[in-house]
């Protein structure tokens, strides 16, 4: 936790004063520093309701002797990824990855030139892709995400992320992460929390980079997955990715994924869409102090404005029920002074 | 890491000597302290090959500048549970639990009096149980482990463990853990390792007590599992345990479970049976310094002697291949000064 030491800036003015007056000024400077020090946490957050609710919650669960005190091992927080930690517009980053994989693999699959949904992917025909529906997208993901070993796949993801650029901003996708949420992750970590990512996206698409970008190690990443098979190839063991769904970590799947991986109920949950509804519901219906928070994409100028009618990151029920459930709704427009680290 | 400071005991002898001689004695005492200090780690282990191999490995991966240095986040160790951390004879603890659950639930199931494998369980007829085979045991586990919420099941396990006693020693099962392995867990923890349990046993049978007994939190426990369903009951969300296999964390399933939960390859693996073979194989075939270790149950006096022909914890291939694979085989008889904490 950084603290601003404004006392240093005002020190020269003290020369010439009596030591007693100097002490008074010094103490006043310390008091100002402490008061302003609180503000140096979550610096990209407006000093308004959302930020205050986060800090009040953390104070309640970390203050020894408080009736809401929570021992460090139980300080579990869960974060959605797409739209909560990084941008999901104009399309999920993993979908952009899958489309690029289709193009990279196309020379070995001449039949894709005439076969949907591959034809649509090769032609960047998003309308035809949408028409292929959930089943078509699943086929796309299976085909482009399976067939390699786990280690090969991680290398493919890393190489792609090093080169790929967001279609609108031209930035790397790992630069399209939300600065206020990076600060929130760091603030919770400094207060003894263990944070997990709980995403509908692919677990093996996230793990290669979450430690570097978010400070969240692979064992704290939960996501959707395809199956993996252990086998010996040329005398060496490998884990091979099989084109078969293992787990869908979305909606009611999120509490199940949390239970499977963590084995205890989180005390704080952060999401942005109705895909996170059950995760927030599960987290905030436990006993004691709880924090549920929804990032509301209402800033069309600096990012994107979408909620009830969006195809990706649709937020409807969450908006309707947030108030009655005591969930904090963060306005990206009003609550965030900065959106991306490079802003 | 505790270190014995024998130098303190010999300090009085220095009085009367010249300062120069005093320095020599002081340095000698420090040297002795350092040499003996090493012995205070893993105190229940004989100072022989197995203990030395463990310490040499930990030194290699934790010494900065060493070519085998491993950064703390990559210091992942995996431990089997049954037969590696606690006793699995005369039967898996979880099987004893399942048999007691059948008895507890029998009043609600009059049909069990005549139906196998329940009849065998009610009559403690281990021979008939064995004849029911894997399918029968699976039916027993499904029936006795499902149908409750996850929270209810955790409470049932805790209550049972507080009362149940090992049939031979009369001790609680949580007292039938191996003291040298507790020391090993603590030693690795002190050296920046994160240890996971990777067991063929049920994940939800272990999580309620591993933190207290082993210092391993629930999110670092991997095991076999049945499915879980999220639903709303009387307005409150619950996770309901469904009688359907989700994952079998045994043999080739262990590397798959490790990959699923941890997402990176461990550098040290500890097992006791051929069910752990692939876990050790996967761990030790990675690049850099690796440690594979097998606990060999060869102490019929203090615990149990079994390996190649055992039904539970069968160790055959592991014994055959340990030498060529560079795995350490621990003789409980020769390498362990003490077996259980209360010994």
């Amino acid at each position: 936790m950084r603290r601003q030491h404004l006392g240093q800036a005002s020190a020269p003015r003290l020369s010439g004063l009596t030591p007693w007056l100097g002490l008074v000024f010094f103490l006043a400077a310390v008091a100002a520093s402490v008061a302003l020090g609180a503000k140096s946490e979550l610096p990209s957050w407006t000093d308004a309701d959302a930020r205050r609710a986060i800090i009040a919650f953390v104070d309640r669960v970390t203050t020894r002797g408080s009736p809401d005190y929570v021992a460090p091992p139980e300080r579990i927080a869960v974060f959605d990824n797409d739209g909560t930690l990084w941008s999901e517009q104009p399309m999920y980053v993993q979908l952009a990855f899958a489309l690029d994989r289709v193009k990279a693999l196309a020379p070995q699959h001449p039949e894709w030139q005439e076969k949907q949904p591959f034809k649509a992917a090769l032609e960047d025909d998003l309308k035809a892709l949408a028409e292929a529906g959930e089943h078509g997208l699943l086929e796309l993901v299976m085909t482009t995400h399976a067939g390699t070993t786990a280690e090969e796949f991680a290398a493919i993801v890393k190489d792609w992320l090093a080169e790929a650029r967001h279609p609108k901003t031209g930035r790397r996708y790992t630069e399209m992460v939300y600065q206020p949420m990076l600060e929130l992750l760091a603030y919770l970590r400094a207060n003894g929390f263990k944070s997990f990512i709980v995403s509908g996206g692919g677990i093996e698409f996230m793990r290669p980079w979450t430690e570097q970008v978010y400070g969240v190690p692979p064992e704290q990443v939960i996501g959707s997955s395809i199956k993996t098979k252990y086998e010996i190839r040329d005398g060496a063991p490998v884990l091979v990715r099989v084109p078969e769904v293992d787990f869908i970590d979305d909606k009611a799947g999120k509490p199940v994924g949390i239970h499977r991986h963590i084995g205890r109920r989180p005390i704080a949950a952060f999401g942005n869409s109705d895909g996170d509804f059950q995760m927030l519901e599960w987290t905030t219906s436990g006993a004691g102090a709880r924090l549920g928070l929804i990032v509301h994409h209402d800033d069309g100028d600096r990012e994107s404005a979408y909620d009830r009618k969006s195809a990706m990151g649709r937020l409807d029920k969450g908006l309707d029920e947030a108030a009655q459930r005591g969930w904090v709704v963060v306005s990206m427009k009003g609550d965030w002074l900065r959106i991306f680290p490079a802003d």
Side-chain angles (χ1 to χ4, degrees), chain A:
Chain A
M1 288 181 279
R2 291 183 299 153
R3 296 199 179 276
Q4 289 174 347
H5 289 286
L6 296 191
Q8 287 170 9
S10 53
R13 295 188 204 162
L14 297 181
S15 60
L17 294 172
T18 67
W20 189 85
L21 264 180
L23 183 65
V24 169
F25 272 78
F26 173 75
L27 289 176
V30 166
S33 166
V34 168
L36 287 161
K39 247 193 176 165
S40 72
E41 280 137 25
L42 307 177
S44 300
W45 292 70
T46 312
D47 183 20
D49 287 356
R51 180 174 177 280
R52 284 175 196 164
I54 295 168
I55 291 174
F57 166 78
V58 170
D59 282 349
R60 282 172 71 190
V61 300
T62 58
T63 303
R64 279 186 186 277
S66 147
D68 289 320
Y69 178 76
V70 175
E74 299 286 341
R75 291 182 202 157
I76 304 284
V78 285
F79 287 81
D80 170 58
N81 184 41
D82 296 304
T84 299
L85 293 177
W86 76 354
S87 185
E88 63 186 348
Q89 298 291 348
M91 70 170 89
Y92 295 131
V93 181
Q94 195 176 355
L95 180 55
F97 168 77
L99 298 184
D100 280 356
R101 286 301 295 157
V102 170
K103 288 166 194 157
L105 295 167
Q108 300 149 49
H109 296 274
E111 74 280 10
W112 286 355
Q113 301 295 334
E114 297 306 326
K115 192 185 170 193
Q116 292 297 15
F118 304 98
K119 185 171 184 287
L122 291 172
E123 293 167 355
D124 282 321
D125 183 350
L126 294 182
K127 194 167 155 275
L129 262 181
E131 281 163 11
E134 209 168 292
H135 179 80
L137 284 179
L138 203 61
E139 194 182 350
L140 215 61
V141 169
M142 290 299 183
T143 310
T144 54
H145 286 56
T148 61
T149 69
E151 281 170 8
E152 285 162 359
F153 186 75
I156 291 169
V157 170
K158 272 187 175 174
D159 289 349
W160 182 82
L161 277 173
E163 295 299 329
R165 301 278 173 167
H166 188 271
K168 280 192 178 170
T169 65
R171 288 177 182 161
R172 288 200 178 80
Y173 287 107
T174 48
E175 294 166 326
M176 298 294 291
V177 297
Y178 304 132
Q179 175 64 26
M181 297 304 282
L182 295 181
E183 293 167 8
L184 180 53
L185 281 164
Y187 174 60
L188 292 177
R189 197 157 43 235
N191 279 284
F193 279 75
K194 197 185 250 189
S195 291
F196 290 76
I197 291 171
V198 181
S199 171
I203 191 167
E204 302 208 35
F205 180 70
M206 296 181 286
R207 281 176 163 170
W209 53 272
T210 54
E211 187 155 31
Q212 202 188 331
V213 174
Y214 300 137
V216 176
E219 63 269 25
Q220 287 162 226
V221 177
I222 305 169
S224 298
S225 55
I226 58 175
K227 291 195 173 169
T228 303
K229 219 178 79 192
Y230 184 75
E231 59 180 56
I232 307 294
R233 281 188 183 172
D234 304 325
V238 287
L239 287 163
V240 180
R241 289 167 60 74
V242 185
E244 205 178 319
V245 171
D246 179 43
F247 184 66
I248 301 292
D249 190 48
D250 198 26
K251 299 188 176 74
K254 289 205 174 192
V256 173
I258 287 168
H259 184 66
R260 174 197 269 208
H261 281 260
I262 310 177
R264 44 187 158 196
R265 201 193 296 222
I267 62 168
F270 306 89
N272 78 299
S273 80
D274 285 351
D276 306 314
F277 188 89
Q278 288 87 346
M279 175 169 85
L280 266 74
E281 178 181 60
W282 174 241
T283 300
T284 59
S285 58
R290 303 279 159 161
L291 177 64
L293 184 149
I294 295 173
V295 174
H296 186 201
H297 293 263
D298 60 358
D299 193 332
D301 291 336
R302 296 186 300 170
E303 204 241 7
S304 273
Y306 60 98
D307 47 38
R308 296 185 189 273
K309 284 170 185 167
S310 174
M312 262 163 274
R314 181 166 175 270
L315 177 65
D316 198 18
K317 199 178 174 194
L319 278 184
D320 289 340
E321 301 193 14
Q324 83 190 58
R325 289 178 179 269
W327 297 346
V328 176
V329 177
V330 170
S331 159
M332 288 178 75
K333 193 169 183 169
D335 284 310
W336 288 2
L337 299 170
R338 196 151 61 119
I339 307 275
F340 302 110
D343 284 351

